[in-house]
Amino acid sequence: MDLHKHDRPQDAAPRGTAPRVSELRASDADRDRIADMLREALAEGRLDADEHAERVEGVLAAKTVGELDVFVRDLPAAHAGHPATAPAAPHRPTAGAVPADPDENVVAVFSSAVRKGRWRASRRIHAYAVFGSVEIDLSEAVFEHQQVVIKAFAVFGSVEVRVPENVSLRGAGGGVLGSFEVDTLDAADAEAPVVYVDGWAVLGSVEARPRRGKLVADLLDRVHRTAERGVRKRV
């Protein structure tokens, strides 16, 4: 019996040949790179919200590098060198940037409390959910400060935080017979706001995630102004 023959995978490429780059399996880093290009195209107005959402959905389902490239083939970013990435946001707020006392309290005791829509995000927000639920949605908020801290306490309740996808998100907390989940997010813009979520979940849950397709409007305005200045300089 030829053991080597049976050990060889049936779908292996013939010896001496290598798959083209477009045929390679896509990694999470590859998907993140394409998603960043799509996010930049949305900010520049090259894609509308529906086109962006449709392409992001396709990126998540793509299996190979070639399938990913299809979604950015018509965008300038796909044909230029990769821009330098912004330095990662610090894991803790800068000393003195955020007050020790809350600017705002959101409390739900045997009830629910919601903060969403077009509102001004305070530097420090304390959220308490006791046998209730708190929702803090920053996806359309106005960020007047670069660093925002949300202190969340959930006791037999839940605190849900949503942020735009073009800010940085950091988390530090824990759960006692509960869950504390923060999806770390790094913004491409070094000047983007940073949202810090910490606290405790006791027989409850604290969850913080980006809301896909939602961007900080004020940050977009700043990006557009920067782009316009660059155009004027070239002219």
Side-chain angles (χ1 to χ4, degrees):
M1 178 181 295
D2 186 354
L3 295 178
H4 295 289
K5 180 178 180 180
H6 287 277
D7 288 343
R8 179 182 175 182
Q10 295 182 355
D11 59 350
R15 185 173 299 175
T17 64
R20 295 190 297 270
V21 173
S22 62
E23 296 173 343
L24 295 175
R25 302 285 290 189
S27 67
D28 288 340
D30 293 327
R31 294 187 182 87
D32 289 343
R33 176 175 58 84
I34 299 299
D36 287 342
M37 291 183 186
L38 294 175
R39 188 158 44 240
E40 181 180 347
L42 177 64
E44 294 174 346
R46 300 181 189 276
L47 297 175
D48 60 32
D50 291 337
E51 290 172 324
H52 176 263
E54 182 179 354
R55 295 195 186 196
V56 168
E57 184 177 352
V59 167
L60 296 177
K63 300 297 184 183
T64 66
V65 173
E67 292 175 4
L68 287 175
D69 290 340
V70 171
F71 297 105
V72 294
R73 188 173 296 165
D74 58 345
L75 300 177
H79 307 282
H82 300 309
T85 56
H91 289 282
R92 301 302 303 161
T94 305
V98 180
D101 296 325
D103 297 318
E104 182 177 0
N105 290 307
V106 184
V107 182
V109 180
F110 287 99
S111 62
S112 63
V114 179
R115 202 78 166 89
K116 65 179 182 180
R118 193 70 172 165
W119 60 291
R120 299 183 183 279
S122 304
R123 288 175 297 175
R124 177 180 285 272
I125 303 170
H126 284 190
Y128 303 90
V130 182
F131 289 96
S133 64
V134 171
E135 178 186 354
I136 299 177
D137 189 344
L138 295 166
S139 61
E140 298 179 5
V142 176
F143 286 84
E144 296 181 325
H145 311 282
Q146 188 179 26
Q147 300 185 51
V148 173
V149 171
I150 298 177
K151 193 84 172 180
F153 300 95
V155 180
F156 288 97
S158 64
V159 177
E160 180 182 289
V161 179
R162 291 292 180 267
V163 302
E165 64 175 355
N166 61 339
V167 306
S168 293
L169 178 62
R170 294 288 184 268
V176 179
L177 298 179
S179 64
F180 187 99
E181 299 180 6
V182 175
D183 288 354
T184 300
L185 180 67
D186 287 305
D189 189 337
E191 296 183 2
V194 185
V195 178
Y196 298 93
V197 180
D198 61 20
W200 288 91
V202 181
L203 292 167
S205 65
V206 174
E207 178 187 278
R209 291 197 173 103
R211 191 176 291 282
R212 297 302 178 188
K214 291 293 187 179
L215 303 173
V216 177
D218 293 36
L219 184 59
L220 286 179
D221 292 340
R222 186 164 66 243
V223 170
H224 287 311
R225 289 195 297 270
T226 301
E228 290 173 359
R229 285 197 298 269
V231 171
R232 287 197 294 269
K233 287 180 181 179
R234 287 194 293 270
V235 173

